[in-house]
Amino acid sequence: MDLPTFSPADLLSSETLSGQHVRFSFGNTYARLPEQFYVRLNPTPVAEPRLVKVNVELAKKLKLNPDDLRSREGVAILAGNRVAEGAEPLAQVYAGHQFGSFVPQLGDGRTNLLGEVVGSDGMRYDVQLKGSGRTPFSRGGDGRAALGPVLREYIVSEAMAALGVPTTRALAAVTTGERVLRDIALPGAVLTRVAASHLRVGTFQYFAARGDVDNLRVLANYALARHYCEAEHTERPYHALLQGVIARQAKLIAQWMLLGFVHGVMNTDNTSISGETIDYGPCAFLEAYDPAKVFSSIDRGGRYAFDNQPHAAVWNLARLAEAMLPLLALETRSEEGAIAVANESLAAFEPQFKTARSAGLRGKLGLLTEREGDETLAEDLLQGMEDNEADFTLTFRRLCDAAAENKDDTGVRELFADPTAYDRWAVGWRRRLEAEGGDRQARAAAMRGVNPVIIPRNHLVGEALRAASERQDFQPFEDLLEAVSRPFEERAGLERYAMPARPEELVHATFCGT
Ligand code: AMP
Ligand code: MG
């Protein structure tokens, strides 16, 4: 194993002399898997690591000392200049359908899995450096990440976590002191990403495409043990695994739809087996409600448009089911049986997605019970929002005021180009609320717990990224991060974070930034 080199100053830093030592307590189950699963290699050191941010709360959850991470040794580890004790860095291999085309070999082209740690919740987490240098899977890429996309992933993944959406998280960001060449030269950075695991649909596809059923089985057993232990000891664990992934994805995509989140690049290599949101590239949040909205500059056909996300997810899950057919056949003892099981499992996506989305919409409207007509009530509101270009997030948030004791409709109705469209809809909504009864203040409070006031609005994300990349000014990043980390609270002084972009501030296109 190549060890990075250190200058004497590094080795004799006061932190080292005072005995400070970053302790990760790594335990690396992935590195115990067969060698076909990865290539072992260390991150490539960078010129001048500098800390941007350590996620104190997440560090504590991972039983890490945030001060240690901020030390010289800590920053060297976060930049890939030093390999932490117990880490076994590796690049994972996988395949994937990218915009519908199968690529039989992808893999970590710019990331290194350092290892796994067990958090205070007893769960095992991957700790991965993103932007950590070239690997055998880099293809034409430089293995690096630019500061802008690193901060975007930091902000948006942390916002999603605060919104209660399963997601990978950001433990830290550092700048490298090096430039990365994209359209122009940009400051480089490394993100430390934490995930329940980095198993993807594409990992299954990799072994399936090679007809390597032995390793496919190893992979499925590993996924069961790590994420679906309740399925591990059922009669048909592989069937249960497939059902489990489908169930988690159905719930996940429903959560995205309830928040106006557009992932932007739902390729099978970006579809997590654990059910987390992964790979924040050209992602964005809806402003004015437009179900057909596409932000990503490379998604020309609208494959991953907002309202196409459930379909894209089913398509990806069908690729997983396909890859798992040899395993399902072991359980059903026939190919036909395997196909029947796969189809039946996939058919469960839609009802599960719809149930989750409908329940979520009822919650957003302040309805605790389920009654006939609720679906139509919610769809009518969305139609009205679309016709009147009403801001997605604020409409639901201001409905909370309209549901409260003093029934204040002024805020929500002004979001509609034609406020009378809201008035017409609100008649039916009020009737439905009356029928349900209950305490108005309690209802408004419950609604405020599911309808965020602050999301990482695209123009504010852009502003924070520009300040950091162009002026080394990290204050807008810090401020936005702080604002999105408590998304359900209305806090004095943070009003601008709740406001939609002005027309001239609107972000129309986002970029992968890779
Ligand atoms: P993504 O679009 O980030 O999901 O990446 C798709 C594939 O391209 C993955 O295999 C990445 O590892 C690889 N990739 C993305 N950016 C780079 C880069 N700058 N250098 C090398 N590989 C990259
Ligand atoms: Mg990816």
Side-chain angles (χ1 to χ4, degrees), residues 322-393:
E322 232 163 53
M324 287 182 71
L325 282 176
L327 302 181
L328 299 174
L330 292 174
E331 293 176 340
T332 59
R333 294 173 201 284
S334 76
E335 208 173 299
E336 298 74 42
I339 292 171
V341 157
N343 281 328
E344 174 204 312
S345 305
L346 288 166
F349 180 93
E350 190 173 328
Q352 293 184 81
F353 168 76
K354 282 191 170 157
T355 302
R357 179 171 175 271
S358 300
L361 280 171
R362 284 198 304 277
K364 288 175 89 70
L365 295 180
L367 308 175
L368 296 176
T369 62
E370 186 179 353
R371 300 199 183 185
E372 213 175 300
D374 288 351
E375 199 91 7
T376 316
L377 185 71
E379 294 307 333
D380 286 351
L381 174 63
L382 290 171
Q383 187 63 55
M385 288 162 64
E386 183 184 353
D387 296 343
N388 289 280
E389 297 179 16
D391 183 81
F392 185 86
T393 304

Coordinates of all heavy atoms in Angstrom, one line a residue, residues 322-393:
E322 N -34.4 -7.7 -12.4 CA -33.8 -8.4 -13.5 C -32.4 -9.0 -13.1 O -32.1 -10.2 -13.3 CB -33.4 -7.4 -14.6 CG -34.0 -7.7 -16.0 CD -33.9 -6.5 -16.8 OE1 -32.9 -5.8 -16.9 OE2 -35.0 -6.1 -17.4
A323 N -31.6 -8.1 -12.5 CA -30.3 -8.6 -12.0 C -30.4 -9.7 -11.0 O -29.5 -10.6 -10.9 CB -29.5 -7.4 -11.5
M324 N -31.5 -9.6 -10.2 CA -31.6 -10.6 -9.1 C -32.3 -11.9 -9.6 O -32.4 -12.8 -8.8 CB -32.4 -10.0 -8.0 CG -31.6 -9.0 -7.2 SD -32.6 -8.3 -5.8 CE -32.6 -9.7 -4.7
L325 N -32.7 -12.0 -10.8 CA -33.4 -13.2 -11.3 C -32.7 -14.5 -10.9 O -33.4 -15.4 -10.5 CB -33.7 -13.1 -12.8 CG -34.9 -12.2 -13.2 CD1 -35.0 -12.1 -14.7 CD2 -36.2 -12.7 -12.6
P326 N -31.4 -14.6 -11.2 CA -30.7 -15.9 -10.8 C -30.9 -16.2 -9.3 O -31.0 -17.4 -9.0 CB -29.3 -15.6 -11.2 CG -29.3 -14.5 -12.1 CD -30.5 -13.6 -11.7
L327 N -31.0 -15.2 -8.5 CA -31.1 -15.5 -7.0 C -32.6 -15.9 -6.7 O -32.8 -16.8 -5.9 CB -30.7 -14.2 -6.2 CG -29.3 -13.7 -6.4 CD1 -29.0 -12.5 -5.6 CD2 -28.3 -14.8 -6.1
L328 N -33.5 -15.2 -7.4 CA -34.9 -15.5 -7.1 C -35.2 -16.9 -7.6 O -36.0 -17.6 -7.0 CB -35.8 -14.5 -7.9 CG -35.6 -13.0 -7.4 CD1 -36.5 -12.1 -8.3 CD2 -36.0 -12.8 -5.9
A329 N -34.5 -17.3 -8.7 CA -34.7 -18.7 -9.3 C -34.2 -19.7 -8.3 O -34.7 -20.8 -8.2 CB -34.0 -18.8 -10.6
L330 N -33.2 -19.4 -7.5 CA -32.7 -20.3 -6.5 C -33.8 -20.6 -5.5 O -34.0 -21.7 -4.9 CB -31.5 -19.8 -5.7 CG -30.2 -19.6 -6.5 CD1 -29.2 -18.9 -5.6 CD2 -29.7 -21.0 -6.9
E331 N -34.7 -19.6 -5.2 CA -35.7 -19.8 -4.2 C -37.0 -20.4 -4.8 O -37.7 -21.1 -4.1 CB -36.1 -18.4 -3.6 CG -34.9 -17.9 -2.8 CD -35.1 -16.5 -2.2 OE1 -36.0 -15.7 -2.7 OE2 -34.5 -16.1 -1.2
T332 N -37.3 -20.0 -6.1 CA -38.5 -20.5 -6.7 C -38.3 -21.8 -7.5 O -39.2 -22.5 -7.9 CB -39.1 -19.5 -7.7 OG1 -38.1 -19.3 -8.7 CG2 -39.5 -18.2 -7.0
R333 N -37.0 -22.1 -7.6 CA -36.6 -23.3 -8.4 C -37.0 -23.4 -9.8 O -36.9 -24.4 -10.5 CB -37.1 -24.6 -7.7 CG -36.5 -24.8 -6.3 CD -37.2 -26.0 -5.6 NE -37.0 -25.9 -4.2 CZ -35.8 -26.2 -3.6 NH1 -34.8 -26.6 -4.3 NH2 -35.7 -26.1 -2.3
S334 N -37.3 -22.2 -10.4 CA -37.6 -22.1 -11.8 C -37.4 -20.7 -12.3 O -37.6 -19.8 -11.5 CB -39.0 -22.7 -12.2 OG -39.9 -21.7 -11.8
E335 N -37.1 -20.6 -13.6 CA -37.0 -19.2 -14.1 C -38.3 -18.5 -14.2 O -38.4 -17.3 -13.9 CB -36.4 -19.4 -15.6 CG -35.6 -18.2 -16.0 CD -35.0 -18.5 -17.4 OE1 -34.1 -19.4 -17.4 OE2 -35.3 -17.8 -18.3
E336 N -39.4 -19.3 -14.6 CA -40.7 -18.7 -14.6 C -41.1 -18.2 -13.2 O -41.7 -17.1 -13.1 CB -41.8 -19.7 -15.1 CG -41.5 -20.2 -16.5 CD -40.4 -21.3 -16.6 OE1 -40.3 -22.1 -15.7 OE2 -39.6 -21.2 -17.5
G337 N -40.8 -19.0 -12.3 CA -41.2 -18.6 -10.9 C -40.5 -17.3 -10.5 O -41.1 -16.4 -9.9
A338 N -39.2 -17.2 -10.9 CA -38.4 -16.0 -10.6 C -39.0 -14.8 -11.2 O -39.1 -13.7 -10.6 CB -37.0 -16.3 -11.0
I339 N -39.4 -15.0 -12.5 CA -40.0 -13.8 -13.2 C -41.3 -13.4 -12.6 O -41.6 -12.2 -12.4 CB -40.1 -14.2 -14.7 CG1 -38.7 -14.3 -15.3 CG2 -40.9 -13.1 -15.5 CD1 -38.7 -14.9 -16.8
A340 N -42.1 -14.4 -12.2 CA -43.4 -14.1 -11.5 C -43.1 -13.3 -10.2 O -43.8 -12.3 -10.0 CB -44.1 -15.4 -11.3
V341 N -42.2 -13.8 -9.5 CA -41.9 -13.1 -8.2 C -41.4 -11.7 -8.4 O -41.7 -10.7 -7.7 CB -40.8 -13.9 -7.4 CG1 -40.0 -13.1 -6.4 CG2 -41.5 -15.1 -6.7
A342 N -40.5 -11.5 -9.4 CA -40.0 -10.2 -9.8 C -41.1 -9.3 -10.2 O -41.2 -8.1 -9.7 CB -39.0 -10.3 -10.9
N343 N -42.0 -9.7 -11.0 CA -43.1 -8.9 -11.5 C -44.1 -8.5 -10.4 O -44.5 -7.4 -10.2 CB -43.9 -9.6 -12.6 CG -43.1 -9.4 -13.9 OD1 -42.4 -8.4 -14.2 ND2 -43.2 -10.4 -14.8
E344 N -44.3 -9.5 -9.5 CA -45.3 -9.3 -8.4 C -44.6 -8.2 -7.4 O -45.3 -7.3 -6.9 CB -45.5 -10.6 -7.8 CG -46.3 -10.7 -6.5 CD -45.9 -11.9 -5.7 OE1 -45.9 -13.0 -6.3 OE2 -45.6 -11.8 -4.5
S345 N -43.3 -8.4 -7.2 CA -42.7 -7.4 -6.3 C -42.7 -6.0 -6.9 O -43.0 -5.0 -6.2 CB -41.2 -7.9 -6.1 OG -41.1 -9.2 -5.6
L346 N -42.4 -5.9 -8.2 CA -42.4 -4.6 -8.8 C -43.8 -4.0 -8.8 O -43.9 -2.7 -8.7 CB -41.9 -4.7 -10.3 CG -40.4 -5.0 -10.4 CD1 -40.1 -5.4 -11.8 CD2 -39.6 -3.8 -10.0
A347 N -44.8 -4.8 -9.0 CA -46.2 -4.3 -9.0 C -46.6 -3.6 -7.7 O -47.5 -2.8 -7.6 CB -47.2 -5.4 -9.3
A348 N -45.8 -4.0 -6.6 CA -46.1 -3.4 -5.3 C -45.6 -1.9 -5.2 O -46.0 -1.2 -4.3 CB -45.5 -4.2 -4.2
F349 N -44.8 -1.5 -6.1 CA -44.2 -0.1 -6.0 C -45.4 0.9 -6.0 O -45.5 1.7 -5.1 CB -43.2 0.2 -7.1 CG -42.6 1.5 -7.0 CD1 -41.5 1.8 -6.3 CD2 -43.3 2.6 -7.6 CE1 -41.0 3.1 -6.2 CE2 -42.8 3.9 -7.5 CZ -41.6 4.1 -6.8
E350 N -46.2 0.8 -7.0 CA -47.2 1.8 -7.3 C -48.1 2.0 -6.1 O -48.3 3.1 -5.6 CB -48.0 1.6 -8.6 CG -48.8 2.8 -8.9 CD -49.4 2.7 -10.3 OE1 -48.8 2.1 -11.2 OE2 -50.6 3.2 -10.4
P351 N -48.8 0.9 -5.6 CA -49.7 1.1 -4.4 C -48.9 1.7 -3.2 O -49.5 2.5 -2.5 CB -50.2 -0.3 -4.2 CG -49.5 -1.2 -5.0 CD -48.9 -0.4 -6.2
Q352 N -47.7 1.2 -3.0 CA -47.0 1.7 -1.8 C -46.6 3.2 -2.0 O -46.7 3.9 -1.0 CB -45.7 0.8 -1.6 CG -46.0 -0.6 -1.2 CD -44.7 -1.4 -1.0 OE1 -44.2 -1.3 0.1 NE2 -44.3 -2.2 -1.9
F353 N -46.2 3.5 -3.2 CA -45.9 4.9 -3.5 C -47.1 5.8 -3.3 O -47.1 6.8 -2.6 CB -45.3 5.1 -4.9 CG -45.3 6.5 -5.4 CD1 -44.2 7.3 -4.9 CD2 -46.2 7.0 -6.2 CE1 -44.2 8.7 -5.3 CE2 -46.2 8.4 -6.6 CZ -45.2 9.2 -6.1
K354 N -48.2 5.3 -3.8 CA -49.5 6.1 -3.8 C -49.9 6.3 -2.3 O -50.4 7.3 -1.9 CB -50.6 5.5 -4.6 CG -50.4 5.8 -6.1 CD -51.6 5.4 -6.9 CE -51.4 6.0 -8.3 NZ -52.2 5.3 -9.3
T355 N -49.8 5.2 -1.6 CA -50.3 5.2 -0.2 C -49.4 6.3 0.6 O -49.9 7.1 1.3 CB -50.1 3.8 0.5 OG1 -50.9 2.9 -0.3 CG2 -50.6 3.8 1.9
A356 N -48.1 6.2 0.4 CA -47.2 7.1 1.1 C -47.5 8.5 0.7 O -47.5 9.5 1.5 CB -45.8 6.7 0.8
R357 N -47.6 8.8 -0.6 CA -47.8 10.1 -1.1 C -49.2 10.7 -0.6 O -49.3 11.8 -0.2 CB -47.8 10.1 -2.7 CG -48.0 11.5 -3.2 CD -47.7 11.6 -4.7 NE -48.0 12.9 -5.3 CZ -49.2 13.2 -5.8 NH1 -50.2 12.3 -5.8 NH2 -49.4 14.4 -6.3
S358 N -50.2 9.9 -0.7 CA -51.6 10.3 -0.3 C -51.5 10.7 1.2 O -52.1 11.7 1.6 CB -52.6 9.3 -0.5 OG -52.7 9.0 -1.9
A359 N -50.9 9.8 2.0 CA -50.9 10.1 3.4 C -50.1 11.4 3.7 O -50.5 12.2 4.5 CB -50.2 8.9 4.2
G360 N -49.0 11.5 2.9 CA -48.2 12.7 3.1 C -49.0 14.0 2.7 O -48.9 15.0 3.3
L361 N -49.8 13.9 1.6 CA -50.6 15.0 1.2 C -51.6 15.4 2.2 O -51.9 16.5 2.5 CB -51.2 14.7 -0.2 CG -50.3 14.9 -1.4 CD1 -50.9 14.4 -2.7 CD2 -49.9 16.4 -1.6
R362 N -52.3 14.3 2.7 CA -53.3 14.6 3.8 C -52.6 15.3 4.9 O -53.2 16.3 5.4 CB -53.9 13.3 4.3 CG -54.9 12.7 3.3 CD -55.8 11.7 4.0 NE -55.0 10.6 4.7 CZ -54.6 9.5 4.0 NH1 -54.8 9.4 2.7 NH2 -53.9 8.6 4.7
G363 N -51.4 14.9 5.3 CA -50.7 15.6 6.4 C -50.4 17.0 6.1 O -50.6 17.9 6.9
K364 N -50.1 17.3 4.8 CA -49.7 18.6 4.4 C -51.0 19.5 4.4 O -50.9 20.7 4.6 CB -49.1 18.6 3.0 CG -47.7 18.1 3.0 CD -47.1 18.0 1.6 CE -46.4 19.2 1.1 NZ -45.2 19.5 1.8
L365 N -52.2 18.9 4.2 CA -53.4 19.6 4.2 C -54.1 19.7 5.6 O -55.1 20.3 5.8 CB -54.4 19.0 3.2 CG -54.0 19.1 1.7 CD1 -55.1 18.4 0.9 CD2 -53.8 20.5 1.3
G366 N -53.4 19.1 6.6 CA -54.0 19.1 7.9 C -55.1 18.1 8.2 O -55.9 18.2 9.1
L367 N -55.1 17.0 7.4 CA -56.1 16.0 7.6 C -55.5 14.8 8.3 O -54.5 14.2 7.8 CB -56.7 15.5 6.2 CG -57.1 16.7 5.3 CD1 -57.5 16.2 3.9 CD2 -58.3 17.4 6.0
L368 N -56.1 14.4 9.4 CA -55.6 13.3 10.2 C -56.2 12.0 9.8 O -55.6 10.9 9.9 CB -55.7 13.5 11.7 CG -54.9 14.8 12.2 CD1 -55.3 15.0 13.7 CD2 -53.5 14.5 12.0
T369 N -57.5 12.1 9.4 CA -58.2 10.9 9.0 C -58.2 10.8 7.4 O -57.9 11.8 6.8 CB -59.7 10.9 9.5 OG1 -60.3 12.0 8.9 CG2 -59.7 11.0 11.0
E370 N -58.6 9.7 7.0 CA -58.7 9.5 5.5 C -60.2 9.4 5.1 O -60.9 8.6 5.6 CB -58.0 8.2 5.2 CG -57.8 7.9 3.7 CD -57.0 6.6 3.4 OE1 -56.5 6.0 4.4 OE2 -57.0 6.2 2.2
R371 N -60.6 10.2 4.2 CA -62.0 10.2 3.7 C -62.0 10.2 2.2 O -61.1 10.7 1.5 CB -62.7 11.4 4.3 CG -62.7 11.4 5.8 CD -63.8 12.2 6.3 NE -63.7 12.2 7.8 CZ -64.6 12.8 8.6 NH1 -65.6 13.4 8.1 NH2 -64.4 12.8 9.9
E372 N -63.1 9.8 1.7 CA -63.3 9.8 0.3 C -63.2 11.3 -0.2 O -63.8 12.2 0.4 CB -64.7 9.2 -0.1 CG -64.7 8.5 -1.4 CD -66.0 7.8 -1.7 OE1 -66.4 6.9 -0.8 OE2 -66.6 8.2 -2.7
G373 N -62.6 11.5 -1.3 CA -62.5 12.8 -1.9 C -61.2 13.5 -1.5 O -60.9 14.6 -2.1
D374 N -60.5 13.0 -0.6 CA -59.2 13.6 -0.1 C -58.2 13.7 -1.3 O -57.5 14.7 -1.4 CB -58.6 12.8 1.0 CG -59.4 13.0 2.3 OD1 -60.3 13.9 2.3 OD2 -59.1 12.3 3.3
E375 N -58.2 12.6 -2.0 CA -57.3 12.6 -3.2 C -57.5 13.7 -4.2 O -56.7 14.5 -4.6 CB -57.5 11.3 -3.9 CG -56.4 10.8 -4.8 CD -55.4 9.9 -4.0 OE1 -55.7 9.6 -2.9 OE2 -54.4 9.6 -4.6
T376 N -58.8 13.9 -4.5 CA -59.2 14.9 -5.4 C -59.0 16.3 -4.9 O -58.5 17.2 -5.6 CB -60.8 14.8 -5.7 OG1 -61.0 13.4 -5.9 CG2 -61.2 15.6 -6.9
L377 N -59.2 16.4 -3.6 CA -59.0 17.7 -2.9 C -57.5 18.1 -3.1 O -57.2 19.3 -3.5 CB -59.3 17.6 -1.4 CG -59.2 18.9 -0.6 CD1 -60.3 19.9 -1.0 CD2 -59.3 18.6 0.9
A378 N -56.6 17.2 -2.8 CA -55.2 17.4 -3.0 C -54.8 17.7 -4.4 O -54.1 18.7 -4.7 CB -54.4 16.3 -2.4
E379 N -55.3 16.9 -5.3 CA -55.0 17.1 -6.7 C -55.5 18.4 -7.3 O -54.8 19.1 -8.1 CB -55.5 15.9 -7.6 CG -54.9 14.5 -7.3 CD -53.3 14.5 -7.4 OE1 -52.7 15.3 -8.1 OE2 -52.7 13.7 -6.7
D380 N -56.7 18.8 -6.8 CA -57.2 20.1 -7.2 C -56.3 21.3 -6.8 O -56.1 22.2 -7.5 CB -58.6 20.3 -6.7 CG -59.6 19.4 -7.4 OD1 -59.3 18.8 -8.4 OD2 -60.8 19.3 -6.9
L381 N -55.8 21.1 -5.6 CA -54.9 22.2 -5.1 C -53.7 22.2 -6.0 O -53.2 23.3 -6.4 CB -54.5 22.0 -3.7 CG -53.4 22.9 -3.1 CD1 -54.0 24.4 -3.1 CD2 -53.0 22.5 -1.7
L382 N -53.1 21.1 -6.3 CA -51.9 21.0 -7.1 C -52.1 21.6 -8.5 O -51.3 22.3 -9.0 CB -51.3 19.6 -7.2 CG -50.7 19.0 -5.9 CD1 -50.4 17.6 -6.0 CD2 -49.4 19.8 -5.5
Q383 N -53.3 21.3 -9.0 CA -53.7 21.8 -10.3 C -53.8 23.3 -10.3 O -53.3 24.0 -11.2 CB -55.0 21.2 -10.8 CG -55.4 21.5 -12.2 CD -54.4 21.0 -13.2 OE1 -54.1 19.8 -13.3 NE2 -53.8 21.9 -14.0
G384 N -54.4 23.8 -9.2 CA -54.5 25.3 -9.1 C -53.2 25.9 -8.9 O -52.9 27.0 -9.5
M385 N -52.3 25.3 -8.2 CA -50.9 25.8 -8.0 C -50.2 25.8 -9.3 O -49.5 26.8 -9.6 CB -50.1 24.9 -7.0 CG -50.6 25.1 -5.6 SD -50.1 23.7 -4.5 CE -48.3 23.9 -4.6
E386 N -50.4 24.8 -10.1 CA -49.7 24.7 -11.4 C -50.2 25.8 -12.3 O -49.4 26.6 -12.9 CB -49.9 23.3 -12.1 CG -49.2 23.2 -13.4 CD -49.5 21.9 -14.1 OE1 -50.2 21.0 -13.5 OE2 -49.1 21.7 -15.3
D387 N -51.5 25.9 -12.4 CA -52.2 26.9 -13.3 C -51.8 28.3 -12.9 O -51.7 29.2 -13.7 CB -53.7 26.8 -13.2 CG -54.2 25.5 -13.7 OD1 -53.4 24.8 -14.4 OD2 -55.3 25.1 -13.4
N388 N -51.5 28.5 -11.6 CA -51.3 29.9 -11.1 C -49.9 30.1 -10.6 O -49.6 31.1 -9.9 CB -52.3 30.2 -9.9 CG -53.7 30.3 -10.5 OD1 -54.0 31.4 -11.0 ND2 -54.5 29.3 -10.4
E389 N -49.0 29.2 -11.0 CA -47.5 29.3 -10.7 C -47.3 29.7 -9.2 O -46.5 30.5 -8.9 CB -46.9 30.4 -11.6 CG -47.0 29.9 -13.0 CD -46.4 30.9 -14.0 OE1 -45.6 31.8 -13.6 OE2 -46.6 30.7 -15.2
A390 N -48.0 28.9 -8.4 CA -47.8 29.2 -6.9 C -46.6 28.4 -6.4 O -46.3 27.3 -6.8 CB -49.1 28.7 -6.2
D391 N -45.9 29.1 -5.5 CA -44.7 28.5 -5.0 C -45.0 27.2 -4.2 O -45.9 27.3 -3.3 CB -44.0 29.5 -4.1 CG -42.6 28.9 -3.5 OD1 -41.6 29.0 -4.2 OD2 -42.6 28.4 -2.4
F392 N -44.4 26.1 -4.5 CA -44.7 24.8 -3.9 C -44.6 24.8 -2.4 O -45.5 24.5 -1.6 CB -43.8 23.7 -4.5 CG -44.2 22.3 -4.0 CD1 -45.2 21.6 -4.7 CD2 -43.6 21.8 -3.0 CE1 -45.5 20.3 -4.2 CE2 -43.9 20.5 -2.5 CZ -44.9 19.8 -3.2
T393 N -43.4 25.2 -1.9 CA -43.1 25.2 -0.5 C -44.0 26.1 0.3 O -44.6 25.8 1.3 CB -41.6 25.5 -0.3 OG1 -40.9 24.5 -1.0 CG2 -41.3 25.3 1.2

